[in-house]
Amino acid sequence: MDRRLCLITGASAGIGAEFARQYAALGWDLALSARREDRLKDLADELQDKHGITVICIAQDLARANSADKIITSLSEQGRHVDALVNNAGYGLPGTFFNTSWKSQAEFIRVLYTAPIELAHKVLPGMAERGYGRIINVASLAGYAPGSAGHTLYASVKSGMIKFSESLNAECETLGHTDIHCTALCPGFTYSEFHDVNGTRDSMNKMSKRMWMEAGPVVKAGIDAVNRGQPVVVPGMVNKTIASLTRILPEPLGRAMVGAQSRRYRRID
Ligand SMILES: NC(=O)c1ccc[n+]([C@@H]2O[C@H](COP(=O)([O-])OP(=O)(O)OC[C@H]3O[C@@H](n4cnc5c(N)ncnc54)[C@H](OP(=O)(O)O)[C@@H]3O)[C@@H](O)[C@H]2O)c1
């Protein structure tokens, strides 16, 4: 029997590369996707040598309308199906909604929202047929917190991913797919290339180190949660505390606190 295969988007860096390392260590085959193929191939070489698994690299830009289709078609042409999907690819769109072109906003929605949901839709029928599936959607603590000015679409898209994951997990239960689970992983600040890419590294460096997590425990929390059938997981005590506060604080107070905090690191230019 083939080893199980995990498809990971955004596997060329940060949290996605860590998902690849952890699933490889668990003995899974991998399909790694992102735009930077050289990075994917380096990681594939490393993990194949270390764990004796098979790694397939699929270079795709998820901002392109047919990218999800191309990824799944490429895998089926190689005779492989997806047992676990990690929808991880993402980035921050700095600046204001007012001053960001519609093209940039539309690409952002495609990469962080439409493409992940389309991938889930494409892999679910096979998972149902085989009676096994895991879907992890990398959302964010920002999807819990009240909205604030700047990077304006980010929280709304992540909040949508949380609701989608909860609903899909419930749907699987309701339909009797007892071993298909979907989880929204909601990290807070995590060491990766995310803040270099969105140009906020300098202001992020001023934040307390207590606010930050390494990718390793973030990813482990996601894998453990989806195996338990838990629809949403917030990794780390500090992040859990923040998530709880956003639920119990009166809304105007929560908005004022998040607004003050995010002015320290969000780029509004
Ligand atoms: N780091 C944090 O503090 C933090 C906190 C909460 C949530 N998150 C979420 O965690 C996820 C991973 O981010 P990260 O922190 O690991 O950032 P990262 O180190 O910058 O990695 C982002 C990954 O997404 C891929 N990607 C970006 N645009 C893409 C596109 N158009 N098509 C295909 N792949 C694309 C990148 O690959 P290529 O550039 O090679 O395409 C890269 O592999 C994101 O969804 C992010 O929103 C991060």
Side-chain angles (χ1 to χ4, degrees), residues 173-253:
E173 274 175 30
T174 305
L175 295 176
H177 299 306
T178 52
D179 209 6
I180 302 179
H181 305 309
C182 179
T183 294
L185 169 62
C186 302
F189 298 130
T190 307
Y191 293 110
S192 72
E193 297 175 13
F194 184 92
H195 299 99
D196 305 305
V197 176
N198 79 2
T200 56
R201 176 60 63 204
D202 286 348
S203 43
M204 293 323 263
N205 283 344
K206 293 177 194 144
M207 310 270 306
S208 162
K209 293 248 181 313
R210 276 195 302 259
M211 301 288 291
W212 288 83
M213 284 181 75
E214 298 289 344
V218 170
V219 164
K220 184 169 186 320
I223 295 174
D224 289 348
V226 81
N227 286 335
R228 279 195 298 272
Q230 185 179 326
V232 184
V233 64
V234 177
M237 276 317 295
V238 171
N239 295 332
K240 280 187 187 5
T241 307
I242 294 169
S244 304
L245 280 175
T246 63
R247 297 266 152 117
I248 56 175
L249 284 178
E251 282 183 26
L253 181 58

XYZ file of all heavy atoms in Angstrom, residues 173-253:
615
model
N -19.068 15.317 10.278
C -19.674 14.533 11.376
C -21.117 14.184 11.046
O -21.557 13.041 11.181
C -19.661 15.361 12.670
C -18.366 15.248 13.451
C -18.374 16.191 14.652
O -19.460 16.483 15.209
O -17.283 16.652 15.003
N -21.859 15.206 10.595
C -23.283 15.025 10.330
C -23.524 13.996 9.227
O -24.483 13.226 9.272
C -23.913 16.377 9.914
O -23.612 17.319 10.943
C -25.412 16.298 9.740
N -22.627 13.993 8.224
C -22.787 13.059 7.105
C -22.237 11.666 7.424
O -22.266 10.777 6.578
C -22.090 13.614 5.848
C -22.691 14.905 5.264
C -21.861 15.393 4.088
C -24.135 14.677 4.819
N -21.685 11.511 8.627
C -21.193 10.196 9.038
C -19.780 9.877 8.570
O -19.373 8.719 8.603
N -19.039 10.903 8.129
C -17.630 10.684 7.751
C -16.783 10.802 9.029
O -16.158 11.825 9.304
C -17.178 11.725 6.712
C -17.956 11.681 5.445
N -18.104 10.528 4.698
C -18.664 12.645 4.792
C -18.855 10.778 3.632
N -19.214 12.055 3.674
N -16.789 9.720 9.794
C -16.261 9.801 11.155
C -14.743 9.967 11.208
O -14.208 10.355 12.236
C -16.653 8.537 11.951
O -16.248 7.398 11.176
C -18.138 8.479 12.215
N -14.025 9.643 10.114
C -12.566 9.806 10.143
C -12.094 10.859 9.134
O -10.972 10.794 8.637
C -11.884 8.450 9.884
C -10.520 8.376 10.584
O -10.194 9.323 11.339
O -9.788 7.391 10.368
N -12.971 11.833 8.846
C -12.552 13.008 8.061
C -12.742 14.222 8.965
O -13.851 14.485 9.445
C -13.381 13.179 6.769
C -13.269 11.920 5.905
C -12.886 14.401 5.983
C -14.065 11.985 4.615
N -11.647 14.924 9.231
C -11.711 16.062 10.149
C -11.120 17.306 9.498
O -10.179 17.213 8.692
C -10.917 15.777 11.426
C -11.320 14.518 12.126
N -12.619 14.222 12.446
C -10.577 13.469 12.576
C -12.675 13.048 13.047
N -11.444 12.564 13.132
N -11.654 18.451 9.885
C -11.148 19.731 9.371
C -10.897 20.671 10.550
O -11.757 20.800 11.430
C -12.178 20.332 8.421
S -11.660 21.919 7.753
N -9.740 21.294 10.564
C -9.336 22.155 11.684
C -8.797 23.484 11.187
O -7.987 23.521 10.250
C -8.217 21.450 12.493
O -8.754 20.275 13.109
C -7.644 22.346 13.573
N -9.222 24.565 11.830
C -8.588 25.872 11.598
C -7.494 26.036 12.648
O -7.765 26.004 13.850
C -9.602 27.000 11.741
N -6.260 26.190 12.176
C -5.126 26.455 13.077
C -4.941 27.973 13.116
O -4.791 28.610 12.077
C -3.873 25.760 12.525
C -2.532 26.106 13.168
C -2.498 25.716 14.645
C -1.387 25.408 12.421
N -4.984 28.529 14.342
C -4.985 29.994 14.481
C -3.741 30.483 15.213
O -3.788 30.790 16.423
C -6.224 30.434 15.255
S -7.759 29.902 14.478
N -2.607 30.588 14.514
C -1.387 31.046 15.189
C -1.446 32.545 15.495
O -2.108 33.300 14.785
C -0.279 30.785 14.146
C -0.918 30.071 13.003
C -2.378 30.322 13.089
N -0.711 32.922 16.549
C -0.380 34.334 16.741
C 0.956 34.564 16.049
O 1.322 33.824 15.120
N 1.716 35.539 16.551
C 2.995 35.845 15.897
C 3.908 34.619 15.922
O 4.179 34.050 16.979
C 3.693 37.005 16.589
C 2.890 38.281 16.538
C 2.664 39.023 17.688
C 2.364 38.741 15.344
C 1.918 40.189 17.645
C 1.613 39.908 15.285
C 1.388 40.630 16.442
N 4.371 34.231 14.751
C 5.166 33.002 14.594
C 6.403 33.333 13.766
O 6.287 34.018 12.729
C 4.339 31.924 13.858
O 3.090 31.760 14.557
C 5.068 30.592 13.816
N 7.566 32.861 14.199
C 8.796 33.124 13.437
C 8.719 32.455 12.076
O 8.524 31.241 11.982
C 10.028 32.634 14.201
C 10.286 33.415 15.477
C 10.104 32.836 16.729
C 10.697 34.749 15.410
C 10.327 33.560 17.893
C 10.922 35.481 16.578
C 10.734 34.874 17.805
O 10.951 35.592 18.958
N 8.839 33.256 11.023
C 8.789 32.777 9.627
C 9.240 33.958 8.760
O 9.793 34.924 9.276
C 7.357 32.356 9.255
O 6.540 33.512 9.114
N 8.960 33.896 7.466
C 9.338 35.020 6.593
C 8.183 35.999 6.392
O 8.309 36.976 5.650
C 9.802 34.460 5.233
C 11.041 33.593 5.372
C 11.448 32.923 4.066
O 10.937 33.295 2.989
O 12.288 32.010 4.132
N 7.050 35.723 7.050
C 5.813 36.480 6.833
C 6.023 37.999 6.966
O 5.597 38.771 6.103
C 4.782 35.994 7.860
C 3.409 36.580 7.734
C 2.441 35.943 6.962
C 3.067 37.750 8.386
C 1.156 36.475 6.858
C 1.797 38.288 8.280
C 0.837 37.649 7.522
N 6.692 38.406 8.051
C 6.806 39.852 8.304
C 7.921 40.499 7.494
O 7.957 41.726 7.361
C 6.954 40.098 9.814
C 5.758 39.611 10.589
N 5.752 38.391 11.239
C 4.519 40.135 10.741
C 4.558 38.202 11.792
N 3.798 39.236 11.504
N 8.840 39.687 6.941
C 9.806 40.231 5.971
C 9.078 40.528 4.665
O 9.273 41.575 4.051
C 10.936 39.220 5.721
C 11.610 38.816 7.014
O 12.067 39.722 7.739
O 11.646 37.607 7.322
N 8.205 39.575 4.275
C 7.488 39.726 3.001
C 6.561 40.941 3.048
O 6.450 41.692 2.082
C 6.682 38.426 2.671
C 5.847 38.610 1.407
C 7.628 37.244 2.505
N 5.881 41.176 4.185
C 4.934 42.306 4.200
C 5.551 43.609 4.717
O 4.850 44.605 4.886
C 3.630 41.935 4.943
C 3.748 41.982 6.455
O 4.785 42.330 7.025
N 2.679 41.633 7.127
N 6.866 43.588 4.941
C 7.574 44.842 5.248
C 7.360 45.374 6.654
O 7.540 46.574 6.905
N 6.971 44.508 7.613
C 6.750 44.991 8.981
C 7.794 44.453 9.962
O 7.604 44.537 11.165
C 5.334 44.603 9.494
O 5.185 43.178 9.401
C 4.246 45.278 8.695
N 8.890 43.882 9.453
C 9.868 43.232 10.335
C 10.396 44.198 11.413
O 10.496 43.827 12.584
C 11.025 42.657 9.508
C 12.151 42.030 10.327
C 11.708 40.872 11.192
N 11.206 39.733 10.451
C 10.358 38.819 10.956
N 9.927 38.896 12.200
N 9.948 37.802 10.227
N 10.716 45.455 11.025
C 11.307 46.373 12.001
C 10.357 46.612 13.178
O 10.753 46.540 14.344
C 11.663 47.713 11.345
C 12.902 47.573 10.469
O 13.581 46.515 10.580
O 13.166 48.485 9.681
N 9.085 46.884 12.886
C 8.163 47.128 13.998
C 7.886 45.828 14.769
O 7.718 45.855 15.993
C 6.865 47.778 13.516
O 6.415 47.164 12.353
N 7.900 44.700 14.086
C 7.666 43.434 14.787
C 8.802 43.118 15.757
O 8.583 42.524 16.803
C 7.546 42.270 13.788
C 6.341 42.307 12.911
S 4.894 42.887 13.699
C 4.048 41.495 14.177
N 10.028 43.527 15.382
C 11.177 43.264 16.258
C 11.045 43.980 17.598
O 11.706 43.620 18.556
C 12.478 43.693 15.572
C 12.901 42.670 14.527
O 12.408 41.543 14.531
N 13.791 43.064 13.625
N 10.177 44.998 17.653
C 10.004 45.742 18.923
C 8.988 45.063 19.844
O 8.823 45.455 20.978
C 9.533 47.170 18.606
C 10.599 47.985 17.890
C 10.077 49.368 17.533
C 11.020 50.020 16.520
N 10.317 50.837 15.540
N 8.279 44.051 19.318
C 7.270 43.388 20.157
C 7.960 42.461 21.164
O 9.014 41.891 20.879
C 6.356 42.506 19.296
C 5.778 43.180 18.099
S 4.218 43.974 18.374
C 3.232 42.711 19.063
N 7.305 42.277 22.307
C 7.847 41.383 23.335
C 8.030 39.963 22.777
O 7.168 39.447 22.072
C 6.880 41.351 24.518
O 7.151 40.218 25.299
N 9.157 39.350 23.148
C 9.447 37.967 22.689
C 8.388 36.989 23.196
O 8.165 35.930 22.610
C 10.818 37.519 23.193
C 11.991 38.294 22.585
C 12.796 37.370 21.678
C 14.003 38.004 21.022
N 13.799 39.301 20.403
N 7.720 37.358 24.313
C 6.673 36.473 24.867
C 5.514 36.277 23.892
O 4.750 35.332 23.993
C 6.117 37.072 26.167
C 6.950 36.751 27.396
C 6.143 37.050 28.633
N 5.729 38.458 28.637
C 6.313 39.403 29.344
N 7.311 39.120 30.134
N 5.897 40.644 29.297
N 5.372 37.246 22.961
C 4.264 37.176 22.002
C 4.548 36.197 20.855
O 3.671 35.922 20.041
C 4.019 38.557 21.363
C 3.690 39.664 22.332
S 2.050 39.477 22.993
C 1.031 39.821 21.574
N 5.793 35.684 20.778
C 6.202 34.933 19.592
C 6.317 33.446 19.859
O 6.710 33.032 20.939
C 7.559 35.451 19.092
C 7.421 36.799 18.457
C 7.396 38.013 19.102
C 7.222 37.082 17.072
N 7.202 39.015 18.196
C 7.099 38.484 16.939
C 7.133 36.293 15.925
C 6.890 39.096 15.708
C 6.935 36.907 14.702
C 6.814 38.298 14.604
N 6.016 32.654 18.829
C 6.236 31.195 18.913
C 7.087 30.737 17.742
O 7.066 31.338 16.667
C 4.897 30.444 18.860
C 4.105 30.511 20.162
S 2.551 29.576 20.048
C 3.142 27.885 20.147
N 7.808 29.646 17.955
C 8.490 28.969 16.852
C 7.434 28.194 16.054
O 6.382 27.818 16.591
C 9.525 27.963 17.378
C 10.661 28.570 18.195
C 11.633 29.379 17.338
O 11.618 29.222 16.088
O 12.387 30.183 17.921
N 7.744 27.909 14.781
C 6.774 27.187 13.939
C 6.522 25.754 14.442
O 5.409 25.228 14.276
C 7.259 27.155 12.493
N 7.538 25.122 15.065
C 7.410 23.717 15.486
C 6.181 23.442 16.342
O 5.321 22.622 15.973
N 6.046 24.098 17.508
C 4.869 23.822 18.345
C 3.555 24.287 17.726
O 2.490 23.701 17.996
C 5.159 24.594 19.644
C 6.336 25.460 19.381
C 7.065 24.914 18.196
N 3.603 25.294 16.874
C 2.380 25.750 16.183
C 1.855 24.620 15.297
O 0.675 24.249 15.327
C 2.688 27.014 15.327
C 1.520 27.351 14.411
C 3.025 28.200 16.233
N 2.763 24.044 14.514
C 2.388 22.978 13.578
C 1.946 21.732 14.338
O 0.944 21.091 13.984
C 3.579 22.689 12.636
C 3.405 21.369 11.910
C 3.737 23.844 11.649
N 2.657 21.385 15.398
C 2.289 20.191 16.174
C 0.870 20.340 16.728
O 0.079 19.386 16.697
C 3.293 19.953 17.303
C 2.987 18.664 18.052
C 4.074 18.233 18.997
C 3.792 16.856 19.615
N 2.419 16.593 19.993
N 0.551 21.552 17.202
C -0.808 21.792 17.727
C -1.852 21.552 16.630
O -2.926 20.991 16.889
C -0.924 23.211 18.264
N -1.536 21.948 15.402
C -2.481 21.760 14.287
C -2.678 20.292 13.960
O -3.810 19.830 13.782
N -1.575 19.545 13.887
C -1.677 18.120 13.534
C -2.411 17.348 14.642
O -3.290 16.522 14.368
C -0.270 17.522 13.273
C 0.359 18.189 12.041
C -0.349 16.006 13.087
C 1.805 17.787 11.760
N -2.066 17.638 15.892
C -2.742 16.949 17.007
C -4.240 17.259 17.001
O -5.070 16.373 17.211
C -2.141 17.368 18.358
C -0.734 16.806 18.557
O -0.329 15.919 17.770
O -0.032 17.271 19.479
N -4.575 18.531 16.765
C -5.995 18.936 16.823
C -6.798 18.263 15.717
O -7.904 17.769 15.960
C -6.108 20.455 16.716
N -6.249 18.230 14.503
C -7.042 17.626 13.409
C -7.196 16.124 13.644
O -8.244 15.555 13.324
C -6.419 17.952 12.022
C -5.247 17.046 11.666
C -7.484 17.891 10.923
N -6.204 15.481 14.226
C -6.343 14.046 14.507
C -7.393 13.777 15.591
O -8.011 12.728 15.616
C -4.990 13.451 14.913
C -4.075 13.296 13.707
O -4.536 13.185 12.578
N -2.765 13.312 13.922
N -7.587 14.778 16.481
C -8.620 14.646 17.527
C -10.009 15.020 17.007
O -10.996 14.874 17.718
C -8.323 15.611 18.680
C -7.297 15.187 19.683
C -7.397 16.061 20.951
N -7.140 17.464 20.704
C -5.937 18.031 20.742
N -4.877 17.329 21.011
N -5.798 19.333 20.520
N -10.070 15.632 15.822
C -11.354 16.112 15.301
C -11.775 17.451 15.896
O -12.963 17.787 15.898
N -10.789 18.227 16.363
C -11.083 19.536 16.984
C -11.170 20.597 15.883
O -10.212 20.765 15.133
C -9.934 19.846 17.955
C -10.102 21.087 18.786
C -8.901 21.266 19.740
O -8.332 20.290 20.236
N -8.516 22.502 19.964
N -12.284 21.318 15.782
C -12.463 22.206 14.623
C -11.583 23.458 14.615
O -11.293 23.986 13.541
C -13.939 22.597 14.682
C -14.402 22.243 16.048
C -13.507 21.190 16.593
N -11.204 23.954 15.793
C -10.377 25.164 15.850
C -9.327 24.969 16.926
O -9.646 24.473 18.006
C -11.214 26.414 16.216
C -10.357 27.679 16.171
C -12.402 26.580 15.287
N -8.078 25.375 16.640
C -7.062 25.325 17.686
C -6.226 26.605 17.650
O -5.838 27.085 16.591
C -6.167 24.062 17.576
C -5.359 24.035 16.284
C -5.234 23.939 18.775
N -6.005 27.134 18.851
C -5.134 28.302 19.018
C -3.895 27.804 19.753
O -3.989 27.345 20.892
C -5.833 29.403 19.850
C -4.899 30.583 20.076
C -7.115 29.857 19.167
N -2.712 27.838 19.120
C -1.527 27.290 19.789
C -0.901 28.281 20.782
O -0.849 29.478 20.516
C -0.560 27.051 18.616
C -0.970 28.040 17.572
C -2.432 28.317 17.756
N -0.442 27.745 21.926
C 0.339 28.558 22.875
C -0.534 29.268 23.895
O -1.645 29.718 23.596
N 0.000 29.382 25.132
C -0.774 29.968 26.238
C -1.095 31.440 26.010
O -2.205 31.898 26.287
C -0.005 29.815 27.567
C -0.182 28.478 28.251
S -1.905 27.892 28.242
C -2.665 29.150 29.247
N -0.116 32.208 25.533
C -0.357 33.650 25.334
C -1.470 33.840 24.298
O -2.415 34.616 24.495
C 0.943 34.371 24.883
C 0.662 35.803 24.460
C 1.977 34.346 26.007
N -1.378 33.093 23.190
C -2.400 33.222 22.144
C -3.774 32.752 22.637
O -4.801 33.361 22.321
C -1.996 32.407 20.910
C -0.753 32.952 20.254
O -0.476 34.152 20.338
N 0.016 32.092 19.613
N -3.775 31.676 23.435
C -5.054 31.174 23.980
C -5.693 32.243 24.874
O -6.903 32.460 24.844
C -4.818 29.906 24.815
C -4.658 28.629 23.996
C -4.606 27.445 24.947
C -4.291 26.105 24.354
N -3.951 25.905 23.008
N -4.842 32.918 25.672
C -5.363 33.953 26.574
C -5.957 35.102 25.763
O -7.057 35.598 26.060
C -4.223 34.477 27.490
O -3.628 33.353 28.119
C -4.733 35.448 28.528
N -5.236 35.514 24.717
C -5.746 36.612 23.876
C -7.078 36.197 23.233
O -8.044 36.961 23.215
C -4.707 36.992 22.794
C -3.464 37.592 23.456
C -5.301 37.973 21.781
C -2.283 37.768 22.515
N -7.135 34.957 22.730
C -8.364 34.490 22.074
C -9.535 34.490 23.065
O -10.647 34.911 22.723
C -8.148 33.084 21.508
N -9.265 34.062 24.309
C -10.341 34.038 25.310
C -10.799 35.454 25.635
O -11.995 35.723 25.767
C -9.873 33.379 26.612
O -9.392 32.104 26.328
N -9.814 36.377 25.757
C -10.170 37.766 26.089
C -11.078 38.369 25.021
O -12.013 39.103 25.330
C -8.902 38.623 26.211
C -8.154 38.510 27.541
C -6.861 39.308 27.496
C -9.033 38.998 28.694
N -10.773 38.048 23.740
C -11.594 38.638 22.674
C -13.043 38.152 22.761
O -13.946 38.796 22.241
C -11.045 38.306 21.259
O -11.104 36.898 21.072
C -9.634 38.787 21.055
N -13.255 37.005 23.433
C -14.612 36.478 23.574
C -15.359 37.109 24.752
O -16.574 37.238 24.721
C -14.570 34.959 23.808
C -13.985 34.177 22.654
C -15.089 33.702 21.747
N -14.641 33.541 20.374
C -14.627 32.389 19.726
N -15.015 31.301 20.316
N -14.254 32.356 18.470
N -14.600 37.491 25.810
C -15.312 37.925 27.021
C -15.324 39.450 27.208
O -16.175 39.969 27.909
C -14.756 37.246 28.295
C -13.253 37.487 28.440
C -15.046 35.743 28.301
C -12.680 36.936 29.750
N -14.400 40.157 26.565
C -14.384 41.616 26.743
C -15.580 42.247 26.039
O -15.986 41.770 24.977
C -13.119 42.206 26.128
C -11.804 42.042 26.895
C -10.654 42.655 26.087
C -11.887 42.705 28.258
N -16.124 43.339 26.609
C -17.160 44.074 25.868
C -16.594 44.520 24.517
O -15.418 44.905 24.432
C -17.447 45.290 26.766
C -16.900 44.920 28.111
C -15.789 43.941 27.899
N -17.397 44.447 23.454
C -16.883 44.685 22.102
C -16.160 46.024 21.929
O -15.067 46.064 21.342
C -18.012 44.559 21.077
C -18.338 43.106 20.777
C -19.392 42.939 19.716
O -19.543 43.839 18.868
O -20.071 41.908 19.748
N -16.712 47.164 22.441
C -15.998 48.438 22.225
C -14.610 48.425 22.874
O -13.643 48.936 22.309
C -16.899 49.484 22.891
C -18.238 48.833 22.965
C -17.995 47.364 23.116
N -14.502 47.787 24.052
C -13.197 47.716 24.726
C -12.227 46.855 23.912
O -11.064 47.215 23.708
C -13.397 47.145 26.143
C -12.141 47.021 27.008
C -11.453 48.380 27.174
C -12.499 46.444 28.385
